[in-house]
């Protein structure tokens, strides 16, 4: 069922920010994977946020200047010969009812209708993220209209990304979004627990990937929210390791960064655990540093705190910990000033989470970090990565550790949406204990 009221409320909020602008959006194009087959279809996040429409071949116009049809959806027309290949399509009347549109038209008329809508608009907002053909088309159309109205006046002054309005809206999640994100988080948490229980030295990284991803789908998710990372031993030190083809050795740590998408919403979890169920002393030393920083940042996440403050806290705790265990030398201030920590910690502490795993939304405004508000959701994911070629003490080489949870800011503090997956050393060892 499509919750039309939710999307209508979002469009109304958007319209208030538009002035005499018009919004002209294209759904995501299908992407060829290999001859005659496409990647699984995934709707453009901004398009979905405003329409709830998730099938291919669509576009929409949100036009406050058109009082009869402020919201027009363009869809593929019914065509029995094509539908036997790709599935049934709604009629235009059904589309109007299901999606709460004021009218539904054949996608073939999108360009003509866009031109007409642009004529009475002061500005055109469109999705300008990934679809270059659409971007060029919008530029062409704006140029065409401006030429047509040169003598009579009017017409759009420019083309702007819909993101300038919608990405700010997407930063603060509504109740329905939080519900869906919690479901995605729960499925992912269950999958991580299954993976920890299943893991044995001698298995392959892809077998653990299979445990995780089969649960994502079994539990109702659409699949992974991003390409799963399952890295054993030295592979755990490669930030975007996605090959997942190696065998897991006794004594390896396994870093698993994998999570489900549920009804378009992402979760994002990382856990790192010993393949044989027991951390070595060197592994415990680094794990303890990452865990202390991660817990402190989660604890500090509340309304009024800036995103940058969380990163600063994370960095200081990681650096102090790395000094304590002999991974770095000098003082914390020197290490931070000279950025020598970047040998082992080279990414930010977290990112917004929502329809996109790295969700849209600014981190800085006018040079200042965003201040956290209730409804914001982001990850907290410190890590330390000591690869086998590093100059670190021998005992630490080949150890990569990241711990990542999804944090919702609430009125009084935060809710850790992924707290169900163990992260304390004793909890992990107990879960993995073979009886
Ligand atoms: N899984 C992507 C990330 O952690 O940013
Ligand atoms: Mn992440
Ligand atoms: Mn992640």
């Amino acid at each position: 069922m499509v919750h039309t009221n939710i999307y209508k409320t979002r469009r109304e909020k958007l319209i208030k920010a538009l002035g005499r602008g018009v919004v002209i959006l294209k759904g995501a194009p299908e992407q060829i994977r290999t001859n005659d087959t496409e990647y699984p279809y995934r709707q453009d996040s901004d398009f979905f946020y405003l329409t709830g429409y998730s099938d291919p071949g669509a576009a929409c116009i949100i036009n406050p200047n058109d009082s009869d049809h402020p919201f027009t959806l363009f869809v593929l027309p019914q065509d029995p010969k094509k539908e036997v290949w790709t599935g049934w399509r709604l009629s235009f009347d059904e589309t109007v009812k299901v999606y709460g549109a004021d009218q539904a038209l054949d996608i073939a008329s999108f360009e003509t209708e866009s031109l007409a809508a642009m004529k009475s608009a002061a500005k055109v907002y469109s999705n300008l993220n990934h679809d270059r053909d659409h971007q060029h088309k919008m530029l062409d159309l704006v140029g065409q209209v401006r030429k047509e109205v040169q003598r009579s006046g009017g017409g759009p002054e420019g083309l702007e990304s819909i993101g300038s309005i919608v990405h700010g809206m997407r930063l603060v999640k509504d109740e329905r979004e939080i519900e869906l994100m919690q479901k995605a988080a729960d499925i992912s948490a269950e999958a991580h627990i299954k993976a920890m229980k299943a893991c044995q030295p001698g298995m392959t990284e892809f077998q653990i990937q299979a445990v995780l991803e089969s649960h994502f789908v079994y539990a109702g998710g659409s699949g992974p929210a991003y390409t799963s990372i399952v890295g054993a031993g030295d592979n755990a030190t490669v930030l975007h390791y996605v090959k997942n083809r190696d065998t897991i050795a006794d004594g390896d740590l396994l870093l698993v960064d994998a999570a489900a998408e549920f009804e378009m919403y992402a979760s994002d979890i990382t856990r790192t655990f010993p393949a044989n169920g027991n951390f070595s002393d060197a592994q415990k030393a680094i794990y303890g540093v990452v865990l202390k920083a991660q817990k402190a940042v989660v604890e500090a996440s509340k309304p009024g705190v800036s995103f940058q403050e969380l990163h600063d806290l994370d960095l200081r705790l990681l650096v102090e910990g790395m000094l304590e265990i002999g991974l770095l030398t000098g003082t914390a201030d020197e290490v931070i000033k000279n950025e020598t920590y970047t040998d082992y910690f080279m990414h930010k502490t977290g990112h917004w989470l929502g329809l996109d795993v790295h969700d849209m939304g600014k981190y800085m405004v006018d040079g200042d970090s965003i201040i956290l508000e209730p409804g914001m959701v982001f990850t907290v994911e410190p890590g330390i990565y000591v690869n086998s070629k590093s100059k670190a003490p021998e005992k630490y080489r080949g150890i990569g550790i990241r711990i990542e949870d999804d944090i919702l800011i609430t009125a009084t503090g935060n809710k850790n949406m992924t707290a169900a997956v163990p992260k304390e050393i004793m909890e992990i060892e107990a879960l993995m204990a073979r009886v």
Side-chain angles (χ1 to χ4, degrees), residues 226 257 268-270 349-353 357-358 379-381 402 404-406:
Y226 52 90
D257 184 347
D268 187 2
I269 303 182
T270 309
T349 296
H351 51 81
W352 307 126
L353 184 69
V357 64
H358 285 193
T379 64
V380 174
E381 50 178 306
R402 178 164 64 254
E404 175 175 29
D405 281 311
D406 303 345

Side-chain angles (χ1 to χ4, degrees), residues 48 93 117 124 180 187 248 307 327:
F48 179 79
D93 283 348
V124 176
L180 297 175
I187 293 172
I248 304 164
F307 208 69
L327 200 46

Side-chain angles (χ1 to χ4, degrees), residues 20-294:
R20 277 191 46 249
V22 63
V23 175
I24 302 181
L25 303 180
K26 188 91 191 286
E30 292 190 88
Q31 304 282 352
I32 301 288
R33 181 173 184 276
T34 172
N35 189 31
D36 288 342
T37 63
E38 286 95 28
Y39 282 103
Y41 186 71
R42 170 60 162 71
Q43 186 56 279
D44 174 85
S45 295
D46 291 330
F47 189 87
F48 179 79
Y49 184 79
L50 293 170
T51 64
Y53 195 89
S54 55
D55 287 335
C60 77
I61 298 181
I62 300 169
N63 187 0
N65 308 315
D66 180 348
S67 49
D68 290 338
H69 309 110
F71 175 42
T72 302
L73 253 183
F74 298 85
V75 295
L76 294 170
Q78 289 185 312
D79 179 340
K81 283 208 158 47
K82 289 199 174 136
E83 287 172 56
V84 293
W85 290 90
T86 53
W88 307 127
R89 296 173 185 168
L90 298 181
S91 68
F92 296 131
D93 283 348
E94 286 165 335
T95 302
V96 163
K97 282 201 194 91
V98 171
Y99 294 96
D102 300 303
Q103 62 177 344
L105 301 176
D106 188 330
I107 187 69
S109 62
F110 176 54
E111 205 172 308
T112 330
E113 295 291 330
S114 297
L115 274 171
M118 284 180 185
K119 282 186 187 155
S120 55
K123 200 188 256 187
V124 176
Y125 292 88
S126 193
N127 41 354
L128 305 177
N129 298 331
H130 311 296
D131 182 350
R132 298 193 74 132
D133 289 346
H134 172 63
Q135 290 172 28
H136 292 156
K137 175 61 71 189
M138 284 292 110
L139 270 176
D140 281 353
L141 294 184
V142 168
Q144 205 173 310
V145 173
R146 286 182 58 78
K147 213 164 175 193
E148 278 177 34
V149 299
Q150 189 180 359
R151 287 181 184 276
S152 56
E157 290 299 330
L159 176 64
E160 188 168 325
S161 166
I162 187 65
S164 63
I165 304 173
V166 167
H167 295 169
M169 290 168 62
R170 282 175 52 187
L171 198 46
V172 177
K173 273 66 183 175
D174 61 34
E175 262 176 48
R176 173 75 181 152
E177 291 183 290
I178 291 167
E179 204 180 296
L180 297 175
M181 291 185 74
Q182 187 60 62
K183 179 71 182 169
D186 290 345
I187 293 172
S188 307
E190 289 156 10
H192 271 261
I193 290 170
K194 279 183 179 241
M196 278 183 200
K197 285 185 172 163
C199 184
Q200 307 257 11
M203 288 177 77
T204 56
E205 294 164 340
F206 56 82
Q207 286 173 332
I208 297 298
Q209 178 183 3
V211 171
L212 290 147
E213 294 185 7
S214 74
H215 187 72
F216 297 163
V217 178
Y218 180 84
S222 56
Y226 52 90
T227 311
S228 301
I229 296 171
V230 182
D234 206 32
N235 294 338
T237 67
V238 178
L239 296 182
H240 289 172
Y241 176 79
V242 290
K243 283 190 196 148
N244 305 347
R245 301 308 299 172
D246 283 353
T247 299
I248 304 164
D250 200 358
D252 277 351
L253 278 185
L254 189 68
L255 185 152
V256 176
D257 184 347
E261 182 182 78
F262 182 77
E263 293 195 13
M264 302 291 284
Y265 281 85
S267 51
D268 187 2
I269 303 182
T270 309
R271 287 294 185 267
T272 311
F273 52 90
N276 62 17
N278 292 104
F279 288 86
S280 71
D281 288 345
Q283 290 166 351
K284 270 187 191 165
I286 301 184
Y287 193 92
V289 174
V290 178
L291 183 63
K292 183 177 173 188
Q294 206 263 359

